[in-house]
Amino acid sequence: MSVAVPILRTAEEVRTTVDEWRRSGRTIGFVPTMGALHEGHLSLISKAFDHADSVIVSIFVNPVQFCPDEDFESYPRTIRDDINKLEYAGADAVFIPEKDLVYPEGFSTSVHVSNLTDTLCGKQRPGHFDGVATVCAILFGIVQPDIAVFGRKDAQQLAVIKRMILDLRFDIRIIGADIYRERDGLAMSSRNRYLRPAERMQATALYRGLSRAAELACKGERDTALLCQTARRIIEESPLAVIQYLEIVDQETMKPVESLDAPGLLAVAVHFGKTRLIDNIVIDPGANYKED
Ligand code: PAF
């Protein structure tokens, strides 16, 4: 049976709740989200429970991480459904701040993590990671968790947050959670609901392309240009797919690599109509390839 999840609206309510948990000897896990929750988010919550006693989730559609031509206005807001899912997942509290609480009048700070943000999504979405780093720094300051969980689907975001934690000396352990996929391989995303039926069907090409490249790498192929070409060819067999980027990068620096002497990250962004999807796979030349 699921129990009603307390809804916290102010920083004070969050502090009181978290302090109470801590006084009773509990460790605190945090999962920041923008809502429109799906099973992928629930897997982040379950991961947080592997590492902490109490888990708080935030829901905030962060305006400053959207570029001007992006979907901030139309981003799905499904709060009632989200709360039901959080109850089902056993979250201990949900923090749903208003915009003015996060960005009060006079707010003038922006967190910029350099180096990691000039490739992949950082190059395509100028200012996006500043918005992500800024809101996460604010939320971390309010919640003050022991651990926070981020999905590996947003691999560059995970790298940016890990760097920010180190640089700003936040005492928080960042935990990456594996990509949660639909049965046909499509990585779960709040934006999948935008896909029209034909786009949804063709979107499975992303994982097919990534998996084939990973398989070739496991069989000994080290040439990243050839691996990218293979993945690209498979994705482009779907006529509705328009690739924005497809690159193999170093997992920590997010910089392109030419030859795979160590595991790399094959990352892709593809448009299907108005919907932009991202996905990635770790390409490990030393690993045994295993179909999911
Ligand atoms: O991954 C997301 O949903 C967002 O970028 C995050 C981390 C909640 C910040 O708004």
Side-chain angles (χ1 to χ4, degrees):
M1 202 189 69
S2 50
V3 177
V5 60
I7 300 173
L8 314 176
R9 303 266 179 200
T10 66
E12 292 68 33
E13 283 170 1
V14 173
R15 292 271 8 109
T16 309
T17 304
V18 169
D19 286 350
E20 224 170 85
W21 290 342
R22 214 165 245 129
R23 265 200 305 278
S24 62
R26 303 176 77 76
T27 53
I28 318 301
F30 177 44
V31 181
T33 80
M34 298 207 298
L37 302 183
H38 50 69
E39 283 172 71
H41 292 109
L42 304 191
S43 76
L44 303 184
I45 295 170
S46 151
K47 185 89 176 173
F49 274 119
D50 290 344
H51 296 271
D53 301 315
S54 297
V55 173
I56 177 165
V57 176
S58 64
I59 296 179
F60 179 64
V61 185
N62 176 33
V64 305
Q65 71 184 75
F66 289 79
C67 297
D69 57 342
E70 291 184 347
D71 55 344
F72 172 68
E73 293 301 337
S74 59
Y75 195 83
R77 286 153 172 93
T78 56
I79 214 73
R80 203 46 265 167
D81 186 52
D82 290 348
I83 289 168
N84 289 339
K85 288 191 170 124
L86 292 176
E87 287 173 357
Y88 170 78
D92 294 291
V94 56
F95 177 36
I96 312 180
E98 289 293 333
K99 178 170 174 271
D100 290 353
L101 188 150
V102 180
Y103 301 113
E105 177 87 23
F107 187 90
S108 315
T109 300
S110 176
V111 180
H112 175 69
V113 178
S114 50
N115 297 324
L116 295 173
T117 52
D118 49 15
T119 53
L120 308 178
C121 292
K123 189 166 162 192
Q124 300 297 335
R125 306 179 68 191
H128 167 68
F129 286 118
D130 293 0
V132 170
T134 303
V135 81
C136 286
I138 297 166
L139 293 170
F140 289 163
I142 295 173
V143 178
Q144 297 176 24
D146 298 293
I147 64 121
V149 181
F150 290 80
R152 292 191 205 281
K153 180 168 79 69
D154 298 288
Q156 194 172 18
Q157 168 170 282
L158 177 60
V160 165
I161 298 298
K162 281 186 170 167
R163 186 72 246 175
M164 178 185 83
I165 289 289
L166 272 179
D167 291 351
L168 300 185
R169 276 75 161 180
F170 279 103
D171 191 11
I172 301 171
R173 190 151 66 94
I174 302 299
I175 293 167
D178 287 345
I179 299 178
Y180 202 85
R181 298 185 181 279
E182 303 276 3
R183 289 171 80 87
D184 60 9
L186 180 66
M188 288 207 183
S189 160
S190 303
R191 291 185 169 103
N192 288 353
R193 67 189 75 195
Y194 297 155
L195 295 167
R196 294 162 195 260
E199 294 167 344
R200 170 64 188 81
M201 258 163 56
Q202 293 189 21
T204 55
L206 266 71
Y207 187 54
R208 273 202 309 283
L210 296 179
S211 303
R212 179 70 187 134
E215 188 185 349
L216 284 183
C218 289
K219 287 181 177 157
E221 184 55 65
R222 299 277 187 279
D223 179 346
T224 57
L226 195 137
L227 294 168
C228 287
Q229 211 178 56
T230 302
R232 180 176 283 276
R233 185 179 39 74
I234 292 171
I235 294 170
E236 285 178 342
E237 279 167 10
S238 293
L240 299 174
V242 179
I243 297 177
Q244 185 182 60
Y245 66 71
L246 189 153
E247 278 184 63
I248 298 181
V249 295
D250 178 276
Q251 289 184 82
E252 275 169 30
T253 64
M254 295 287 135
K255 298 281 186 265
V257 286
E258 274 171 23
S259 177
L260 268 187
D261 301 317
L265 187 82
L266 171 53
V268 66
V270 180
H271 279 107
F272 284 90
K274 289 195 181 121
T275 309
R276 180 178 179 276
L277 302 179
I278 59 169
D279 200 350
N280 65 72
I281 199 164
V282 174
I283 301 247
D284 185 350
N288 285 325
Y289 180 73
K290 178 166 86 5
E291 289 264 2
D292 278 351

